Amino acid sequence: MALGEQTYGFFIPTVSLMGIGSAKETGGQVKALGASRALLVTDKGISAMGMADKIKEQVESAGVKVVIFDGAEPNPTDTNVHDGVKVYQDNQCDAIISLGGGSSHDCAKGIGLVIGNGGHIRDFEGVNKSTKPMPAFVAINTTAGTASEMTRFCIITNTDTHVKMAIVDWRCTPNVAINDPLLMVGKPAALTAATGMDALTHAVEAYVSTIATPITDACAIKAIELIAQYLSPAVANGDNLEARDKMAYAEYLAGMAFNNASLGYVHSMAHQLGGFYNLPHGVCNAILLPAVSQFNLIACPERFADIAVALGENIEGLSVAEAADRAIAAIRRLSASIGIPAGLKALNVKEEDLKVMAENAKKDACQLTNPRKASLEQVIEIFKAAM
């Protein structure tokens, strides 16, 4: 393929803190950003566990007041965002802290975009629609999956259309990302499995993306290697601190990859399932990944052969096509072994909804970098293959 005149960006938080106990640095980081009163965005589950109160106490001991907003729902909505905007404004906040997984981070990003730019969160669907900076923003991660704590991606559900809006904007990249495996210990096995498969999907889609670079390739392959080795132990024993730590690195590396190489049809289709049925994003990705990979195979078989090796498959003596097939088989095997449902039927997805979801998937920003172009009929067939 001839190289045209195309430039590539690389987006990442200014500061990223990793490792056991790193969350203890939250207060100092928020203070260093010049904040005096921060809105802490989280969900009701984390709030009920007392985790939000602990972070609040720690940040306030550093001299920054904290107001907790625990209105981030799974698959956060435009309503959640604007509820948070009101709390931010009513309390005269000047910074944002997000605590949780992708839902909390995305809701916080939406709040920040509206605070910084005005208008409605729906105005920012697409790429780089903001024109002004967000408030100072520290993201504390509690799951090893979405990488939203370090990306420029923000996914918000439009409550009128039930479509997930993909907002891709460098301005919503957090200033500071914190991944402390101590906050991930004890998470349920099903959540660990779903978020881990989300991270694997990020890495695979970034590796086969049409705008992959040597930098994103390195991140994606290392993420796949770590997930192959440590996801199953993390699911088997939620208190396995080594597995939690390595999965935190894996999801961050996968985030570095897709934050810059973007994604593909797995995500553009999974967004529709989440918007239509309010299903867990990681589970949707896990079910769709083998079906989309099978469709993409003819576009980049060498890349899938590389993925097979990263997943631990022995491809010695195999043709490129045979090695590529091994990658898809390994993904299916890993998914089944950690309890991911076998197909979309298990999630009560209806065939009569496939056409409209396929139409919306064709409009999703994530499909632009998929390695094989798909017609509407082909997207419907991929959905059917995943049923």
Side-chain angles (χ1 to χ4, degrees):
M1 184 174 68
L3 287 175
E5 287 190 12
Q6 186 168 2
T7 57
Y8 297 85
F10 193 79
F11 304 90
I12 196 169
T14 306
V15 177
S16 296
L17 303 176
M18 311 289 294
I20 295 165
S22 54
K24 290 177 182 174
E25 298 185 42
T26 304
Q29 292 294 329
V30 177
K31 183 75 173 172
L33 288 168
S36 61
R37 186 181 296 268
L39 181 74
L40 194 161
V41 180
T42 191
D43 61 51
K44 288 189 167 44
I46 287 176
S47 191
M49 287 165 57
M51 200 181 286
D53 285 330
K54 283 183 183 173
I55 296 294
K56 175 180 178 178
E57 184 182 325
Q58 194 226 96
V59 174
E60 291 193 333
S61 70
V64 179
K65 290 287 184 188
V66 174
V67 178
I68 294 175
F69 170 69
D70 63 2
E73 297 174 330
N75 300 313
T77 67
D78 44 17
T79 304
N80 299 159
V81 168
H82 285 274
D83 287 346
V85 167
K86 185 176 189 309
V87 176
Y88 183 103
Q89 291 171 331
D90 288 350
N91 289 277
Q92 298 179 307
C93 295
D94 57 8
I96 297 172
I97 303 167
S98 57
L99 174 68
S103 299
S104 295
H105 304 316
D106 283 5
C107 186
K109 289 174 180 179
I111 292 166
L113 284 168
V114 174
I115 291 293
N117 292 268
H120 195 280
I121 189 58
R122 295 177 189 175
D123 301 335
F124 302 98
E125 184 175 9
V127 180
N128 293 336
K129 294 293 180 68
S130 75
T131 56
K132 296 175 185 172
M134 286 180 28
F137 181 17
V138 175
I140 310 163
N141 207 22
T142 63
T143 64
T146 69
S148 186
E149 83 284 355
M150 57 79 62
T151 70
R152 59 196 170 115
F153 284 71
C154 171
I155 309 298
I156 302 293
T157 299
N158 181 320
T159 49
D160 286 341
T161 63
H162 303 291
V163 171
K164 280 191 171 189
M165 301 180 290
I167 297 165
V168 186
D169 197 313
W170 66 271
R171 294 185 196 274
C172 74
T173 306
N175 301 102
V176 180
I178 299 175
N179 271 286
D180 186 341
L182 285 175
L183 302 184
M184 303 173 189
V185 165
K187 288 288 187 297
L191 177 65
T192 303
T195 53
M197 290 303 292
D198 189 18
L200 178 62
T201 305
H202 292 155
V204 170
E205 290 214 286
Y207 193 67
V208 301
S209 162
T210 57
I211 59 168
T213 69
I215 299 174
T216 61
D217 286 351
C219 296
I221 287 294
K222 188 60 183 177
I224 294 168
E225 290 173 355
L226 287 169
I227 292 164
Q229 188 173 354
Y230 290 103
L231 177 54
S232 295
V235 173
N237 178 5
D239 296 328
N240 183 332
L241 200 51
E242 182 191 14
R244 291 291 189 190
D245 187 44
K246 293 298 195 294
M247 281 303 299
Y249 277 106
E251 74 91 39
Y252 191 93
L253 284 161
M256 287 172 70
F258 92 83
N259 196 36
N260 298 287
S262 197
L263 294 159
Y265 266 113
V266 179
H267 272 77
S268 65
M269 295 167 71
H271 290 158
Q272 312 321 315
L273 292 165
F276 251 68
Y277 300 104
N278 201 28
L279 294 170
H281 177 65
V283 175
C284 295
N285 276 345
I287 295 172
L288 288 166
L289 181 57
V292 174
S293 296
Q294 193 73 53
F295 174 79
N296 286 336
L297 211 51
I298 63 168
C300 48
E302 297 86 357
R303 294 244 138 190
F304 281 101
D306 293 343
I307 290 166
V309 174
L311 286 166
E313 293 294 300
N314 180 3
I315 65 167
E316 192 176 342
L318 298 181
S319 67
V320 171
E322 290 168 335
D325 285 336
R326 285 281 179 95
I328 298 172
I331 291 167
R332 290 188 192 278
R333 208 162 46 244
L334 173 61
S335 202
S337 72
I338 58 175
I340 299 292
L344 297 175
K345 277 184 181 168
L347 305 180
N348 297 316
V349 174
K350 300 178 181 69
E351 285 219 13
E352 57 262 33
D353 293 333
L354 297 186
K355 186 172 184 288
V356 68
M357 287 195 296
E359 287 170 347
N360 290 333
K362 290 276 291 171
K363 300 171 192 169
D364 190 287
C366 291
Q367 55 86 24
L368 295 171
T369 46
N370 196 74
R372 182 181 176 189
K373 296 305 167 198
S375 66
L376 176 63
E377 290 71 23
Q378 286 171 321
V379 177
I380 294 169
E381 286 306 312
I382 296 169
F383 267 127
K384 287 180 179 176
M387 290 293 279

